[in-house]
Amino acid sequence: MKRETDHEAENSTGAQTVDRACELLREIARTGAGGVRILDLCHATGLSRPTAHRILRSLQLAGLVRQSPENRRYALGSGLFELGMAAPNPITQFPQVRSVAEELAASTEDTVYLMLRSYDDVLCAWRAQGAYPIKANVVALGDRRPMGASVAGLCLLAGLPEAESNALIAANAPYLPAFCRMTPADVTRHVNDARDKGYSVGVNAVMEGVTAVGMAVPASYQRPCMALSVSAISSRIPPERIPALVEQLKRSAARIAAITGSDAAAR
């Protein structure tokens, strides 16, 4: 067996530290502006407190993480925003895609979310507000949620091969109580339903009194990465309105697929 050299061992340790730093950043991003305790970060990542503290300290010095002096919770730092300004948008032709979401919100008069897959999560890439005065603002722009904890995420899970979808649901399971009102069994049921119908409906699934209808943007090779959802107070989306919303979502999702070329190999 080939013996690992000191240089190779050093590179391996460095790569492991980078992986751990990325994992911590993703966990912090999930919690939003309120921040997260180091105890919870250690529980979520499996890192020891000294290891997590050492990495977090390095991230703080780089401006990628900040710690509140009041409650000692960790949140994302402004350095990430600065880096993000220089990074390319993962959605090609984003202004046109954003316009489709805005038009859908105008036609439905409700809140429209454009969600983007990010590892085991979904990220709110855009939120468009309809004219109806009572808003269902469950997710803010830039918020992260476990895939199984949003109606748009359920549609993305339904678009994946079943084994991969089941693995992601299992990975999401510990985080569901903090983000939605569904159990892993509920998520699996919703995903199977969405796989059969081509869309998902969540009544009180994420928040009491809120209903959402979602659909994945068509993609090749069973790898959808974007989804749209229309969200409103439940009285706004009775069962008889769902077919019309599904048709609106279908047209909007097809337009986005055409703009981005996400379904190019399937055409």
Side-chain angles (χ1 to χ4, degrees):
M1 179 182 296
K2 180 182 177 182
R3 182 184 295 275
E4 184 179 52
T5 67
D6 290 343
H7 181 67
E8 288 171 331
E10 183 179 341
N11 286 343
S12 175
T13 301
Q16 185 181 56
T17 300
V18 172
D19 289 342
R20 289 171 170 175
C22 291
E23 189 174 4
L24 284 168
L25 287 171
R26 285 194 290 270
E27 289 298 328
I28 293 170
R30 272 181 173 169
T31 62
V36 59
R37 301 180 303 169
I38 191 171
L39 179 66
D40 296 324
L41 287 172
C42 293
H43 178 74
T45 63
L47 296 176
S48 67
R49 190 183 183 102
T51 297
H53 186 269
R54 184 180 70 252
I55 296 172
L56 288 167
R57 178 59 180 162
S58 294
L59 292 171
Q60 278 183 273
L61 291 173
L64 305 182
V65 163
R66 59 182 173 84
Q67 187 179 30
S68 168
E70 287 81 19
N71 57 25
R72 312 301 295 167
R73 289 174 177 260
Y74 291 92
L76 297 182
S78 59
L80 278 172
F81 176 80
E82 295 163 8
L83 290 174
M85 293 290 287
N89 194 307
I91 303 176
T92 58
Q93 307 297 326
F94 182 71
Q96 293 94 319
V97 170
R98 182 181 60 200
S99 293
V100 174
E102 295 283 358
E103 289 172 21
L104 181 58
S107 65
T108 62
E109 298 190 336
D110 294 309
T111 302
V112 170
Y113 295 103
L114 174 66
M115 306 296 283
L116 181 69
R117 181 178 176 180
S118 175
Y119 298 93
D120 297 351
D121 297 341
V122 286
L123 170 73
C124 181
W126 194 252
R127 185 179 73 181
Q129 304 275 27
Y132 193 74
I134 303 176
K135 314 293 185 186
N137 292 338
V138 180
V139 182
L141 180 64
D143 275 0
R144 299 176 70 93
R145 293 287 185 272
M147 286 184 71
S150 77
V151 171
L154 295 172
C155 301
L156 294 178
L157 286 167
L160 296 172
E162 190 170 356
E164 184 176 347
S165 174
N166 289 340
L168 282 167
I169 293 170
N172 277 186
Y175 304 100
L176 294 178
F179 292 98
C180 69
R181 305 176 72 249
M182 293 181 286
T183 65
D186 293 329
V187 173
T188 300
R189 176 173 53 80
H190 278 289
V191 169
N192 290 336
D193 193 45
R195 193 172 283 126
D196 290 339
K197 294 180 177 177
Y199 64 91
S200 181
V201 178
V203 181
N204 303 321
V206 176
M207 180 181 290
E208 180 70 32
V210 173
T211 294
V213 183
M215 182 176 294
V217 172
S220 307
Y221 308 118
Q222 292 186 294
R223 288 294 182 278
C225 64
M226 285 183 287
L228 286 166
S229 65
V230 178
S231 181
I233 57 172
S234 293
S235 60
R236 286 278 298 162
I237 308 182
E240 58 269 22
R241 190 188 175 201
I242 291 174
L245 287 176
V246 168
E247 288 304 311
Q248 289 173 288
L249 281 164
K250 187 180 296 183
R251 289 193 296 270
S252 296
R255 286 178 61 195
I256 291 175
I259 290 168
T260 62
S262 65
D263 63 341
R267 291 203 296 263

